[in-house]
Amino acid sequence: MAILPIRRAGDPVLREKARRVRTIDKSIHKLIEDMWETMYDAPGVGLAAPQIGISLRVVVIDAHDPAYEPLALVNPEIIKRSGERLLDEGCLSVPGFRGQITRSVKVLAKGIDPATGKEVRIRAEDDLMAEALEHEIDHVNGILYIDYLPSPDALVPVDDAPEIGG
Ligand code: NI
C-alpha cells in the first residue's frame, strides 16, 4: 500500500471524465488499497481515483456512520436523487477552503463492489453518505464542488481545524 499525493484543483486530471473499469483485476485492488490509505491519511471521508492522478471510475467513502460500512465502488453512478439542501462542503483537492453549495437530500447510487464483482445499490438520505456519494461521483465526471459556488468569493478559507473533505 502507498500514500499518494493528492492532486489539487488546476490539475487537468481532475477535469477529465474518467474511464470505466472493464476488469476488476489486481491493479484495481491495489489502486483501491492505495486510495483507502491516502484517504485515511489525509484525513478525508472519501476519495476518487482521479484525485491520485488515475483517471478511472473508482471511489472510496467512509462516512464514519454506523449505518454504513466503508464503501469502495467501481463504475459508480447516481441512479436517482431528489430534494435540495444547503451544505458546507470541502474537498481534499481544494485544501484550506470550504464553501456552501446545494446538494440532494435523497440519493440512490449503484456501482460494482470490487470484493464480489457484483452490483450494489446504496440509499442515503440527508446525511454525510448522501453528500459524499454525490461529491465522489462528481469527481469521476470531472466536476468539483467549487463549480457549484455562486461566485469565487463564496469560497471561504478554513483556518481552524483541518477541514474534512473528500
Ligand atoms: Ni473532493
Side-chain angles (χ1 to χ4, degrees):
M1 300 224 286
I3 295 166
L4 298 169
I6 296 176
R7 304 298 181 95
R8 298 194 172 189
D11 189 318
V13 72
L14 293 175
R15 292 310 194 171
E16 288 172 24
K17 202 167 154 62
R19 280 173 292 119
R20 288 181 71 80
V21 172
R22 291 182 182 277
T23 313
I24 300 175
D25 57 15
K26 254 177 142 169
S27 72
I28 297 298
H29 289 294
K30 165 81 167 65
L31 168 67
I32 291 168
E33 283 180 17
D34 289 346
M35 288 172 65
W36 282 127
E37 198 175 7
T38 302
M39 187 201 83
Y40 284 119
D41 175 70
V45 300
L47 195 75
Q51 291 182 279
I52 53 167
I54 307 293
S55 191
L56 284 174
R57 305 182 79 80
V58 179
V59 303
V60 296
I61 298 170
D62 184 348
H64 302 283
D65 179 336
Y68 308 97
E69 295 289 323
L71 176 72
L73 280 184
V74 171
N75 299 334
E77 277 174 55
I78 304 279
I79 308 172
K80 236 196 258 181
R81 55 179 122 207
S82 62
E84 283 191 353
R85 57 184 179 139
L86 269 180
L87 290 172
D88 196 31
E89 195 153 309
C91 177
L92 296 173
S93 295
V94 190
F97 294 91
R98 297 191 68 84
Q100 203 173 62
I101 61 161
T102 301
R103 291 264 183 215
S104 307
V105 177
K106 288 190 186 182
V107 174
L108 174 62
K110 70 170 183 178
I112 307 294
D113 174 354
T116 62
K118 299 215 164 95
E119 185 179 293
V120 289
R121 291 183 174 219
I122 301 99
R123 212 175 281 277
E125 182 173 345
D126 201 19
D127 57 10
L128 184 56
M129 179 57 104
E131 179 180 14
L133 284 166
E134 287 194 303
H135 182 109
E136 302 310 333
I137 294 173
D138 273 351
H139 270 303
V140 298
N141 289 319
I143 298 165
L144 298 175
Y145 85 89
I146 53 176
D147 301 347
Y148 302 125
L149 292 171
S151 74
D153 38 298
L155 202 56
V156 183
V158 179
D159 45 21
D160 44 5
E163 74 280 12
I164 292 290

